[in-house]
Amino acid sequence: MRDPATIGLTPPPELAFRRKISLLGALKSTFAAWEMVTTLTERELRVRYKQAILGVAWALLQPVVLIFTLTIFLSKVANVETHYPEYALFAICGLLPWTFFASAVGQGGLSLLSNLQLINKINCPREVFPLSIVGVSAVDTLTSMVAVVVLFAAKTTMPHALVLAWVVPLILIEIVFTMGVVLLISSMVVHLRDIRHVLPVIIQMGLVATPVIWSLDGLERKWQIVYSIANPIGPVIDSIRRTALKGLAPDLALLGYASVSAVVVFFVGFKVFKRLESSFADLL
Amino acid sequence: MPISSRADDIIAARGGVLTGALNIDRVWKRFRADLRNPFLIDRIEFLRDRLRGDTSNNYRWALRDVDFKIEPGESVGLIGSNGAGKSTMLKMIAGVMYPSAGNVHVGGRIGALIEVRAGLHSDLTGRENIFLYGTLLGLKRKRVAQVFDQIVEFAQIESAIDRQVKFYSTGMQLRLGFAVAAFLEPAVLLVDEVLAVGDSTFQQRCLERMRQVQADGTTLLFVSHDLATMEATCTRGLWLRDGMLVEDSPIREVLGSYREWIEHSAEVGSDQTGPVRVTSTTVTGTAGNGVQSYGSMTVELAVDSDIARGCVVYMGVSEGPATPIFVAQGSAKLSSGSNSVLCTFEHLPLPRGRFFLWTAIHEATRAHDLVKWHPAKAFDVSGPNVESTPRSVVRLSPVQVKNTWEFSAD
């Protein structure tokens, strides 16, 4: 039997716990946990479509309604000059990447809070929860591609084939950036719950701040560069429009800045997430 | 159950210890003393306190310098009163919480039976839940599919497997939760007081299953307030008190000192302000010796009463601070002033060990109690050392009955 009196009041400083994780090792274990991400994504989708009778239709409804509103008010009423022939097509090219980002950040940012029961029980890598929400948004975006096809058919326009050559790198930049932001926000929300209330406001502002309803062409060159670094989604949208609607090559310089920025944001987000991860169970 | 190679696990061993081994290396855990939410305003208050140099009551140490090792295949019971740090310790071993100081090394996957229903998603079907949970525990889908039938069979939910879990009864949810965690081949199984919620059939099945996985080489860490079950299930005991590990020895010894400690904290005696007061309690055995197995035991209560009244005196004996083994009652006429109440028990069927005497005094109408039912005294029974029962007998019997045997061949 040990005498409790021999135990000090605070631990000796050399015992202080330091979690040893290398960035590479952490990335490896995230990759190893990929099946968890897909299973969680599947769970989210199943739960959602079990509750809603219209199911998939809801995923389509949101972008369609937005397109209508934007087309009518901005091109007909406000007369926004875009240098593109069809405002509806111009708008949807911007809307899809934006909705993907917005819904991933909006739901993914709160994913740790909504899964706290699992987080308090299972020691899986925590990033699977926010990442699975990125997966959900990706599936939603794929579903709303139907709206894009219908819209192009209605306007009897074919997107230029050039877009196919660029679609993979563009999606990559978009996803890497989104994952970084989602990881950053979701881990910070645990430590500062106020973000939860500010988040919807910021996302709403983002709709205006991102070239969804306006064109990046309108900016001066140096501001275009600054913008590409600050928000990699801007050049992604711009490249989609140039390739799909005009058949022009993307602005490679801007795209370069955007990819570097996206990768940096991802690593920062991942690093912060892993750093804050060890205190999640204490706070949730 | 076939033991598969655990090579297809996603989650690797933490800290390079043998599969199934635990190494708790001088662990300390600190919590914020107040459980306020981490809103901005709390942060500001916290910073303000710190700037003022007032850090005195910001923290509470939930665990202090806890240090032990568990070998693969051991079955260990973790005991301690509420708030002693047992759940914090389990969470740390389960890997969902990290220590403030020290280190936790765990070999292999953990099956945690903590609030078994918590991991189930009510909108998903039983089938979907099994796969979700298994994947999150780190198993490949293929592997989950292989044990799927066993899980369904154990949980007895064959007919409901494709129904949403929110339409399950509480019992079905419990069985499913237990089955999923216990059948997914954990190297270490943590069981936290889950058995208390199920019915007795379910408890038996769970204990049966726990013994089976243990026989297969799984390390077992068991938390319960049911000391008898713990004694039957574990070989070694760890006692946490106020976040400190005060004893680490064979289960019987730990339970012995734990019961002794409870006796000290429970023996606060009865209320001395009521209309009837028990001023002293004495337990004596045959001819002034200690109490012996199969001997007689005399209990004497000195009782003070304000007025003359009729009453009923209750006495009982229990093994721990739990259900009595037997009770006796007697009607008494108390006169105003001091009284003496004597009760003799014959042929005491108690084995060697430590027991508690409980007393209560009620009004003659039994309408309400004059002295509450409370553990009044601990006493030791001496007797022959009874062979411990084989481990397949779940509950160790608290009474010993004289018996004779005859064997004959036809």
Side-chain angles (χ1 to χ4, degrees), chain A residues 25-262:
Chain A
L27 273 175
K28 259 189 197 161
S29 71
T30 308
F31 197 70
W34 199 248
E35 209 169 41
M36 297 185 193
V37 177
T38 52
T39 311
L40 281 170
T41 303
E42 196 187 314
R43 176 191 79 171
E44 288 298 320
L45 292 168
R46 273 178 194 271
V47 167
R48 182 176 337 153
Y49 292 132
K50 255 175 201 160
Q51 285 161 347
I53 301 165
L54 286 178
V56 192
W58 291 121
L60 277 174
L61 201 67
Q62 202 195 358
V64 169
V65 169
L66 257 174
I67 293 284
F68 264 105
T69 336
L70 292 179
T71 318
I72 291 165
F73 284 94
L74 293 172
S75 64
K76 303 281 190 275
V77 182
N79 260 324
V80 177
E81 182 48 60
T82 61
H83 308 289
Y84 284 91
E86 282 288 349
Y87 190 81
L89 299 181
F90 168 85
I92 203 165
C93 286
L95 202 57
L96 233 52
W98 168 253
T99 333
F100 167 75
F101 175 81
S103 71
V105 173
Q107 295 171 52
L110 307 180
S111 57
L112 292 174
L113 300 182
S114 48
N115 282 298
L116 64 96
Q117 283 195 319
L118 285 173
I119 286 169
N120 269 321
K121 275 187 71 184
I122 301 180
N123 74 332
C124 56
R126 271 47 177 131
E127 60 269 25
V128 299
F129 297 103
L131 290 184
S132 68
I133 300 296
V134 177
V136 172
S137 299
V139 173
D140 282 350
T141 310
L142 273 179
T143 322
S144 35
M145 284 300 288
V146 179
V148 179
V149 172
V150 171
L151 203 62
F152 270 94
K155 300 282 178 189
T156 59
T157 319
M158 273 289 282
H160 288 271
L162 187 66
V163 75
L164 292 177
W166 286 96
V167 74
V168 174
L170 290 179
I171 287 177
L172 263 178
I173 296 173
E174 168 101 17
I175 287 182
V176 167
F177 176 67
T178 307
M179 288 201 292
V181 175
V182 170
L183 287 173
L184 191 68
I185 304 266
S186 60
S187 55
M188 281 166 58
V189 166
V190 177
H191 283 260
L192 206 54
R193 300 281 162 95
D194 304 67
I195 297 176
R196 179 182 195 164
H197 305 289
V198 184
L199 198 58
V201 182
I202 293 176
I203 292 175
Q204 265 175 352
M205 278 159 48
L207 174 63
V208 188
T210 307
V212 175
I213 52 176
W214 49 278
S215 169
L216 209 54
D217 296 339
L219 292 178
E220 272 177 57
R221 183 62 184 168
K222 66 172 181 195
W223 290 118
Q224 283 183 342
I225 292 173
V226 172
Y227 191 92
S228 306
I229 296 168
N231 181 5
I233 297 181
V236 167
I237 292 175
D238 188 55
S239 307
I240 294 175
R241 285 171 180 161
R242 286 169 79 107
T243 50
L245 302 179
K246 286 185 171 168
L248 295 172
D251 190 325
L252 280 180
L254 294 187
L255 216 50
Y257 287 119
S259 0
V260 172
S261 165

Side-chain angles (χ1 to χ4, degrees), chain B residues 344-378:
Chain B
T344 304
F345 296 87
E346 302 285 349
H347 303 296
L348 213 58
L350 299 176
R352 187 164 94 161
R354 165 151 292 208
F355 295 88
F356 290 86
L357 177 81
W358 294 60
T359 54
I361 301 177
H362 281 215
E363 276 185 343
T365 55
R366 285 159 219 214
H368 68 260
D369 48 4
L370 298 163
V371 175
K372 271 205 199 86
W373 184 243
H374 70 288
K377 191 91 187 167

Side-chain angles (χ1 to χ4, degrees), chain B residues 142-161:
Chain B
K142 216 169 54 191
R143 190 71 204 119
V144 181
Q146 285 167 4
V147 285
F148 183 82
D149 289 339
Q150 287 177 326
I151 293 173
V152 177
E153 198 196 324
F154 183 87
Q156 298 173 309
I157 49 164
E158 288 90 344
S159 55
I161 190 67

Side-chain angles (χ1 to χ4, degrees), chain A residues 1-2 8 11 15 17 19 39 42-43 46 50-51 117 121-123 190-194 278 281-282, chain B residues 28-29 38-40 61 64-65 94 96-100 102-103 114 118 123-124 128 133 136 141 246:
Chain A
M1 187 140 171
R2 190 174 172 193
L15 274 184
F17 177 77
R19 203 172 159 220
T39 311
E42 196 187 314
R43 176 191 79 171
R46 273 178 194 271
K50 255 175 201 160
Q51 285 161 347
Q117 283 195 319
K121 275 187 71 184
I122 301 180
N123 74 332
V190 177
H191 283 260
L192 206 54
R193 300 281 162 95
D194 304 67
S278 49
D282 297 0
Chain B
W28 296 68
K29 181 68 186 177
F39 285 106
L40 188 58
W61 289 97
R64 284 165 58 191
D65 215 10
V96 301
M97 208 176 253
Y98 295 84
S100 309
N103 259 305
I114 311 168
D123 283 321
L124 296 178
E128 287 160 356
Y133 204 82
L136 286 175
R141 272 164 179 267
V246 291

Side-chain angles (χ1 to χ4, degrees), chain B residues 117 155 157 168-177 199 202:
Chain B
R117 280 184 296 158
I157 49 164
Y168 279 26
S169 70
T170 313
M172 287 162 90
Q173 293 186 13
L174 268 179
R175 294 200 298 269
L176 179 60
D199 61 24
F202 174 70

